Structures are given as structure tokens and as C-alpha cells.
Amino acid sequence: PNCDCHQENGAPILPDIGMLASFDPVALDQACVDLCRKATPTPNGDLAKNIHKPGFKDLGDHWKNTHPNVEWEMVLVHSEKIGVGSREYELVEI
């Protein structure tokens, strides 16, 4: 549920989606986000626990449903804006 920089951590909020690779870091992150957004939360993770709490409001995003105050998408938008890469990609399964 937390990034690698946290000492504490719990069960994953999403199942393993596999491995992705790209020469474009922005496209790679966008593809990872898109695949994760389609994934069903793991039953024992914090996200699944949040979903079943009374009064839960779905924010339409697995990360915002776990950490509502984190604006992760701004990183991709800004990275594309300054020319690091593109959020457009073609997913090729091998």
C-alpha cells in the first residue's frame, strides 16, 4: 500500500500485474497505471478493507482510494509537459 521508501508496509493492494519495459519512462508509468487501474484489489490489502468500510466513496482510482491526498497523476502530466516522454503507448504482450 505504500511506496518502497516506507519502512512499514502491509499486504499489496493489487495483485502482481507482470513486468513492463519501455525506452519511454512516462509511457511505461502510464501503462503500469492503466493496468493497475483495471486490476481487482487483493482481498487482504488496505484497499479492499477501505472499500468495505461504511461510507466509502469510490474516487475511481485505486491509489486515491488508498491515499486520497496523493496527486500521483501530476507527475506524469508534468513529465510529459517538459519532454521526458509521452503518456501515449502501445502495449505489446510477449
Side-chain angles (χ1 to χ4, degrees):
N2 298 316
C3 74
D4 298 351
C5 62
H6 282 252
Q7 288 182 334
E8 81 291 340
N9 227 330
I13 64 170
L14 300 171
D16 185 355
I17 61 161
M19 184 179 290
L20 283 75
S22 175
F23 290 109
D24 182 331
V26 180
L28 177 64
D29 281 355
Q30 185 64 61
C32 290
V33 165
D34 292 343
L35 289 172
C36 287
R37 288 172 111 177
K38 293 176 186 175
T40 301
T42 56
N44 60 335
D46 288 347
L47 176 56
K49 292 174 190 171
N50 287 349
I51 290 170
H52 298 298
K53 286 181 181 175
F56 170 77
K57 182 179 181 191
D58 187 357
L59 301 173
D61 180 295
H62 291 322
W63 292 282
K64 288 185 181 184
N65 286 338
T66 306
H67 299 288
N69 298 323
V70 175
E71 295 294 333
W72 62 266
E73 192 171 14
M74 290 175 23
V75 174
L76 296 179
V77 170
H78 185 69
S79 296
E80 185 175 47
K81 181 179 178 182
I82 64 173
V84 174
S86 170
R87 294 176 70 184
E88 305 262 334
Y89 64 90
E90 176 186 354
L91 189 61
V92 178
E93 293 188 39
I94 54 172

